[in-house]
Amino acid sequence: SDDYETERCGPCPVKAIKEGDLYLPYDVGFLFSEVNGDRIWWKVEKDGDMAVEYVDKSCIGKHVSTKAVGSDEREDLTSCYKYEEGSKKEREVQEKVSHFSSRKEWVVKPTSRDLEVEIERETALMGSDITIPIKLTNTSESSTRTVSISAQVRCSAYTGRTDSNSPILKTVHSVHEVSEGESDTVTITIPPDDYVKKIKAGSVLNLFLKAHVQETKQVFATKESFTVKKGSGITIVCSQKTVKQYEDFEVSVSYTNATDTRLTRCHFYMEGPGIRRSKKLYCGTVQPQKTIDRKITLSAHRLGERTLLVKFCNSKIAHATDRIKIVVEQAEPTEIE
């Protein structure tokens, strides 16, 4: 960083990151660790001593992404930055990189495990129950495993960061016996009344999970993030599929409050590249299970396909957004006049 505290990274060859050529400039080592790092969970004793409890080797660098050219789709670049997890080539690169490490004593050796934990992600809609199934599988061929589960779901900022002030939505402590070769599913359920008023704009849900096998002392720990979709509460209807440049057109918007919460200080906010000006339309209070609608006049000054983004904002629950495509054509000279 310089005197103005501006952070810089690179330029760095993408191939150097993939091949583990850490000796090349610039910041190859840092970027390599960003897509190949491990998440290490530590147990801290009351006297301050620390010990490694669990190492998750597959949670970092899973979805390296960018915006696709010519569309709003996500383009996955993971294969450009690293070889497939567990492949022979990936192990060769990791072995090469270890020779550059000055902290080889921190390398954690893999241990055998016979408990597999899988968190089945399900899309939750605002106003409905949030369910998080946790599947426990005992891969042992001869012994039953007694698994202690400790889980907590917290609401956090959009960055995923939590602190002591982050609302706790659910805490679970339970013990499960899983027979050899069998699976058991633990489901965490959060009803709307427990989360609707606590989730703010941009908030995410963080699940902190720890599983402990009593017979073998194995430990599994993880953190998973979930977003609650705002559903299709917004409806957008444009008066014309194709509009003329600089010509006014009408857009109808509506929002249905599917929750049991009374929403206050509500307004629609519209904007989009090429739309002449942004619009903010106040609409007061929306009662539970009610719909509010408004009409607004806009105009576009850029040609081609434009995207109009509509956001419904309020003071109670997370904001909802939707968008439509509008084609803007060249106006005739007489129409501009």
Side-chain angles (χ1 to χ4, degrees):
S1 60
D2 55 23
D3 293 338
Y4 296 97
E5 298 184 357
T6 301
E7 295 185 0
R8 301 174 181 173
C9 188
C12 168
V14 174
K15 187 175 181 180
I17 301 172
K18 185 172 184 177
E19 300 295 338
D21 297 327
L22 305 189
Y23 51 86
L24 293 175
Y26 297 93
D27 302 314
V28 177
F30 171 73
L31 291 168
F32 181 87
S33 65
E34 280 199 316
V35 297
N36 291 281
D38 299 336
R39 178 182 286 168
I40 301 179
W41 296 85
W42 298 80
K43 182 179 180 180
V44 182
E45 304 291 350
K46 292 183 178 180
D47 59 3
D49 288 346
M50 298 174 61
V52 175
E53 266 209 324
Y54 182 73
V55 180
D56 190 344
K57 291 184 168 293
S58 60
C59 65
I60 305 297
K62 292 176 70 173
H63 303 288
V64 184
S65 308
T66 189
K67 178 183 176 298
V69 177
S71 74
D72 294 331
E73 299 300 316
R74 180 184 76 89
E75 182 177 346
D76 195 291
L77 301 178
T78 307
S79 61
C80 298
Y81 285 83
K82 58 190 298 186
Y83 290 100
E84 185 178 353
E85 290 279 355
S87 65
K88 179 181 178 181
K89 193 64 179 178
E90 189 252 357
R91 290 192 296 270
E92 291 176 355
V93 171
Q94 294 289 347
E95 181 68 23
K96 179 172 70 174
V97 168
S98 67
H99 295 304
F100 295 98
S101 175
S102 59
R103 304 179 69 183
K104 296 180 181 179
E105 69 276 9
W106 286 93
V107 176
V108 180
K109 302 297 183 183
T111 56
S112 59
R113 297 181 180 276
D114 54 22
L115 175 70
E116 294 180 355
V117 181
E118 180 183 356
I119 301 175
E120 301 176 7
R121 290 196 173 197
E122 293 188 0
T123 301
L125 294 176
M126 179 68 74
S128 62
D129 288 350
I130 297 175
T131 57
I132 307 175
I134 303 170
K135 184 178 180 181
L136 309 175
T137 302
N138 179 7
T139 59
S140 171
E141 298 179 354
S142 58
S143 303
T144 298
R145 294 292 181 244
T146 305
V147 185
S148 301
I149 294 290
S150 296
Q152 190 175 85
V153 181
R154 303 183 72 127
C155 187
S156 68
Y158 71 94
T159 58
R161 185 172 182 178
T162 57
D163 54 35
S164 57
N165 297 321
S166 301
I168 298 175
L169 305 182
K170 191 81 170 183
T171 300
V172 175
H173 298 287
S174 57
V175 179
H176 305 266
E177 287 193 357
V178 186
S179 301
E180 57 273 20
E182 300 293 328
S183 298
D184 189 13
T185 299
V186 183
T187 302
I188 299 177
T189 303
I190 308 174
D193 291 344
D194 291 348
Y195 73 85
V196 165
K197 295 182 179 180
K198 297 178 182 179
I199 296 181
K200 304 301 180 183
S203 295
V204 297
L205 303 183
N206 279 330
L207 167 68
F208 298 89
L209 172 68
K210 178 180 177 181
H212 178 262
V213 182
Q214 296 181 8
E215 290 82 2
T216 62
K217 310 304 180 185
Q218 298 174 53
V219 174
F220 174 90
T222 190
K223 168 192 168 186
E224 292 285 346
S225 296
F226 303 85
T227 56
V228 180
K229 290 197 172 184
K230 314 310 179 297
S232 55
I234 294 180
T235 301
I236 312 171
V237 178
C238 185
S239 60
Q240 308 169 52
K241 293 182 179 180
T242 302
V243 301
K244 298 294 184 181
Q245 188 181 20
Y246 303 114
E247 182 182 88
D248 290 346
F249 59 94
E250 192 175 79
V251 174
S252 301
V253 293
S254 64
Y255 177 80
T256 301
N257 179 13
T259 71
D260 294 324
T261 302
R262 179 173 173 265
L263 307 182
T264 60
R265 292 190 293 175
C266 303
H267 65 271
F268 289 104
Y269 183 80
M270 296 181 174
E271 65 176 346
I275 305 300
R276 171 162 285 186
R277 57 185 179 274
S278 300
K279 289 283 187 178
K280 194 173 185 179
L281 188 61
Y282 293 93
C283 43
T285 300
V286 183
Q287 300 295 337
Q289 309 301 325
K290 296 296 182 180
T291 299
I292 191 168
D293 55 79
R294 291 290 187 271
K295 291 183 179 180
I296 194 167
T297 300
L298 299 170
S299 62
H301 63 274
R302 291 185 182 177
L303 300 174
E305 188 178 69
R306 304 285 115 195
T307 300
L308 177 65
L309 176 70
V310 179
K311 180 184 292 185
F312 178 80
C313 307
N314 64 92
S315 62
K316 294 292 184 181
I317 64 175
H319 302 165
T321 60
D322 203 351
R323 67 193 68 197
I324 60 171
K325 299 288 186 179
I326 298 173
V327 178
V328 183
E329 293 184 342
Q330 177 73 54
E332 296 298 331
T334 55
E335 293 179 296
I336 297 177
E337 294 173 0

